[in-house]
């Protein structure tokens, strides 16, 4: 059987035909243009679905189901989008709309949750419980518990970026102060790098940032840290501690067999993961039971699409 | 059918015969004396089980199953205690020991997890997802997710007292600094009350604590706060904020339909819960989806026993 996954993002909608092994056999894409009427966005989704079926050259009866990842909250029961930010999609009966044109099972879920499911199916050995933390501009999360995607009572569980790390601390994108995301995201690393450069204008790190910080990115401090630069080491070590703090929380709460780190950071691989893992192990409660394995996620940007495709496969 | 629950605590082992409605029909109790050989403790457990069956006057074939709550980690698969602190029980094959004498299903789980299951069955309407937070001397937690007790990959999930609230902050019982428990437990409230009294020796709060703090308890500040005392209001408000911070984390992570507050604090009822609930609602991410209901737990000290009894009923 084949599965169709749709990953609705802020700028683009990606569609793919996925096989049992999690390979994307063909792809199609459209612009989101989120301020359009919901019917237009949904019509593009239908077009993408039909497009990948045709391009894949498979019979419609070889399609098991369709899954759609939404950047917001969905009701799987009602087949509705409940809420999306910056998009005219809230309240839209997406399943019914699609099923008018294509007679298939249609599943809806939050995009971060889809990513977790995609990564879960990509594991060589699938444990009962897996937590995915996506460390990018922000911090997202997805939970596979007891072998199933866990979405809570309202479809938006797993907002782990907004657990509180420092009450009254740095302002977070969500408006509150002190969230984990405000300390351990890539955006936070950039802010921490800039603060260090401003405080030490003669440092190699400041020079690397450029006079007007135009060369500053999430990689600036990491690159210099790998070269052994002192200022960068201070910045990156502190930031890795913040990352580890949240991972330890995830372990204390879920004790999953596997904790996956995805997002931009996972591309650095073991060079970052290995010190973060040591910090997390240092702080995890000392009970002689099997430990959570902290690993890099594998699927990168395709996780959401593949996971959406597999929503009907759980 | 009837169920037998055993709640092994640090000082006492409680046994009870429980009916389908969650009523404890009869009870028996023994001292734990945790430094005894495991076989002696286990023999006492067998004695309690036989005792409540006999005292209850029920046939052995009317007993559905036996459940045992352990202050530590268990393996339900292997039927073993994996780890207990301050007790000679680690590694003990408790199920096999009991089944030599009583031919019944025997289930094992952590005691805080049992409490969550007990409270779950005591709800008038059982939601899919419920989180129990026990605010006592420490902070414990138990998770019922998708209608089942969630214990993680190693049986010790739900150690929510040890999520990090203030890196480098107050020392926690676990040895780390800054855990939620170090700010929001009853022990933390007592410490915060004492600090305020020491800083304001002429205050009503200081007087209430007694000259040598011999009259200081978790209730000291709460009692004066209810009477409108300014110093007590400062202490209790700050402490309630800490409590709310962790509850908001639980909501962001789990988005459960119901979040129950148990432990000593729940006995104060709405007078404490209502301001804590307002604080939590103020800080919860603003997405128009169904909200988590924050309520007081109902079963008090019996939650662990009843939940243990119902381990086989899930």
């Amino acid at each position: 059987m084949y599965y169709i996954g749709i990953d609705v993002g802020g700028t683009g909608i990606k569609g793919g035909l996925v096989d049992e092994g999690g390979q994307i056999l063909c792809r199609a894409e459209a612009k989101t243009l989120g301020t359009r009427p919901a019917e237009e966005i949904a019509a593009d989704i239908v077009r993408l679905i039909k497009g990948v079926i045709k391009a894949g050259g498979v019979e419609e009866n070889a399609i098991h189901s369709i899954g759609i990842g939404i950047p917001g909250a969905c009701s799987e029961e009602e087949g509705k989008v409940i809420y999306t930010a910056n998009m005219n999609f809230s309240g839209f009966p997406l399943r019914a709309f699609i099923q008018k044109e294509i007679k298939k099972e249609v599943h809806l879920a939050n995009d971060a949750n889809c990513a977790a499911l995609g990564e879960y199916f990509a594991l060589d050995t699938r444990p009962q419980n897996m937590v995915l933390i996506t460390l990018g501009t922000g911090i997202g999360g997805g939970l596979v518990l007891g072998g199933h995607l866990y979405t809570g009572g309202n479809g938006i569980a797993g907002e782990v970026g907004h657990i509180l790390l420092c009450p009254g601390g740095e302002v977070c994108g969500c408006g509150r102060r002190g969230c984990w995301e405000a300390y351990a995201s890539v955006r936070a690393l950039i802010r921490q790098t800039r603060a260090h450069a401003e405080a030490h204008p003669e440092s190699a790190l400041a020079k690397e940032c450029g006079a007007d910080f135009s060369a500053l990115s999430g990689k600036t401090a990491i690159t210099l840290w790998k070269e052994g630069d002192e200022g960068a080491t201070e910045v990156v070590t502190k930031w890795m501690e913040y990352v580890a703090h949240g991972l330890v929380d995830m372990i204390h709460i879920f004790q999953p067999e596997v904790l996956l780190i995805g997002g931009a950071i996972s591309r650095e691989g073991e060079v970052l993961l290995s010190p973060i893992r040591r910090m997390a192990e240092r702080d995890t409660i000392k009970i002689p039971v099997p430990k959570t394995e902290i690993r890099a996620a594998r699927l990168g940007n395709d996780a959401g699409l593949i996971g959406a495709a597999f929503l009907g496969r759980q």
Side-chain angles (χ1 to χ4, degrees), chain A residues 186-305:
Chain A
V186 175
R187 194 190 283 136
L189 174 60
I190 292 173
R191 184 177 44 69
Q192 291 154 11
T193 305
R194 179 168 180 152
H196 194 277
E198 285 176 340
H200 305 85
E202 297 309 312
S203 66
L205 189 59
K207 291 197 175 71
E208 197 73 19
C209 291
D212 52 356
F213 297 100
S214 56
L216 171 58
S217 79
K219 288 191 173 171
T220 310
I222 291 175
T223 305
L224 280 191
W225 165 69
K226 288 187 204 162
E227 293 166 10
D229 176 72
E230 199 181 333
T233 300
E234 200 180 304
V235 170
V236 175
T237 304
K238 186 111 204 233
W239 174 78
M240 291 191 298
E241 288 281 1
Y242 288 130
V243 172
H245 288 334
L247 299 186
V248 171
D249 286 351
M250 293 304 113
I251 294 172
H252 286 157
I253 293 171
F254 292 107
Q255 298 284 352
E257 289 88 338
V258 175
L259 177 55
L260 285 187
I261 314 298
I265 290 308
S266 63
R267 279 170 228 137
E268 296 286 335
E270 280 300 311
V271 63
L272 271 176
L273 257 191
S274 153
I276 290 172
R277 192 186 287 123
R278 274 199 305 278
M279 292 166 180
E281 280 167 6
R282 177 200 62 204
D283 289 347
T284 305
I285 205 161
K286 301 291 176 291
I287 294 183
V289 291
K291 297 279 175 287
T292 297
E293 198 186 326
I294 301 177
R295 282 197 233 162
R298 288 161 74 162
L299 299 181
N301 292 334
D302 288 335
L305 194 160

Side-chain angles (χ1 to χ4, degrees), chain A residues 63-117:
Chain A
I63 304 293
H64 179 278
S65 54
I66 298 164
I68 303 174
I70 299 285
C74 302
S75 167
E76 169 77 354
E77 269 128 60
E78 301 174 48
K80 271 187 187 173
V81 179
I82 295 179
Y83 170 81
T84 48
N86 314 317
M87 247 180 106
N88 265 339
F89 229 18
S90 306
F92 188 75
L94 185 56
R95 179 187 294 149
F97 186 97
I98 292 171
Q99 287 180 333
K100 269 191 296 183
E101 303 257 356
I102 306 162
K103 306 289 175 227
K104 288 285 165 189
E105 256 181 66
V106 174
H107 300 277
L108 308 179
N110 168 272
D111 53 358
N113 290 337
C114 288
L117 192 65

Side-chain angles (χ1 to χ4, degrees), chain A residues 143-168:
Chain A
L143 313 167
V144 178
L145 305 178
H148 293 275
L149 194 56
Y150 175 82
T151 63
N154 54 18
I156 60 162
E159 283 285 354
V160 298
H162 303 289
I163 57 173
L164 192 60
L165 188 62
C166 300

Side-chain angles (χ1 to χ4, degrees), chain A residues 10-32:
Chain A
T11 55
I13 306 173
K14 296 185 292 181
L17 180 72
V18 178
D19 69 12
E20 295 275 353
Q23 296 302 309
I24 302 176
L25 303 179
C26 62
R27 300 169 184 262
E29 202 160 340
K31 287 206 171 116
T32 304

